[in-house]
Structures are given as structure tokens and as C-alpha cells.
Amino acid sequence: MKTPCSIIAASAALLLTGCGQNNSSGADAAAPGTPASPRIVEITANDTMKYNVTTIEAKAGEELTVVLTNEGTVAKEIMGHDWILLKAGSDVAAFDAAASQAKATDYVPAALKGEIIAQIGLLGPRKSDQVEFTVPSTPGEYPYLCTFPAHFQAGMHGVLVVK
């Protein structure tokens, strides 16, 4: 025969465990299949023709949002900045050379658009824009650059390293 204390202890144990049921409706439980928010990478550029971030490390298939802010003060027609991510193995210097001749399309060469994974268009001073994309699934190094004339040569480029 069970004592009243053992009955109370057993009842308390059942109440604490919820009779073995799994309650996943709490606020801390994530719904299955809910995608994570993209990771945000903030890059600034200014009148010195440099990005403040020249290496971005990411996991294959990760969702990224790149935010580019032109902190410069010189007019867009003289010192605009963009951010263009190219496929791994792209000839960055050749892309830049073609871009310098593509003023009508904001320095994005139409013939080489197939090399572009993601891009942020040409920004004037104190402007910001962003692009969201899925990181390529193949590990490697994916170059990015500013295509405004002479900016690549001045060092305005970097690499997305996919692991």
C-alpha cells in the first residue's frame, strides 16, 4: 500500500513532466522549416576609393544581405561606388576593363552580366543600398569590386570566401 507522501510525490512528478507529452507551442520553440534571417554584412565606401571590408567569410548556401553605404561627399558622376560580386574564377581585371567603357549602364558591362552573382548599383554620396542573395554552394573565392573607373586599380575590391 502506498503512503500519502508517495502518492503526492508521484502526482507532482506527473505534473512536472506533463504526463510525457511534448509541448512545443512555447515562445522559445521555432516552427519547423522556418528559415533563419539573412546575415547582414555592412560595407562602407568613401572618397578614398576603398571598401572598409575586403574579406567576407560565409558558409555555402548561407543567406547574406550586403549593405553598401557611400560615406563620401563627392558627386556620383565623379566618385560613385557600387558593389559587384562575380563568379569564382572570373577575370576581375578584364571585367573592370570592360566596365570602364560602360558608362551608359553605370559601369556594368552588358556582355559580362553572366559573371555577376549579386550587385548593388552605383551610389552617390550619403546613399545606401543592399542586396540579398544565397551564397554559392561551391566552396572557393568569389571576387567583388567597385566598377567605377579607376576604383578597382586603387584597391576597391575584395573577396567572398565560401567554406
Side-chain angles (χ1 to χ4, degrees), residues 96-113:
D96 180 65
S100 70
Q101 304 301 310
K103 183 177 182 181
T105 54
D106 282 341
Y107 305 105
V108 178
L112 297 176
K113 280 195 172 197

Side-chain angles (χ1 to χ4, degrees), residues 57-61 135-140 142 160-163:
E57 292 186 358
K59 295 176 185 170
V135 171
S137 59
T138 304
Y142 296 77
L160 169 68
V161 179
V162 178
K163 296 181 177 195

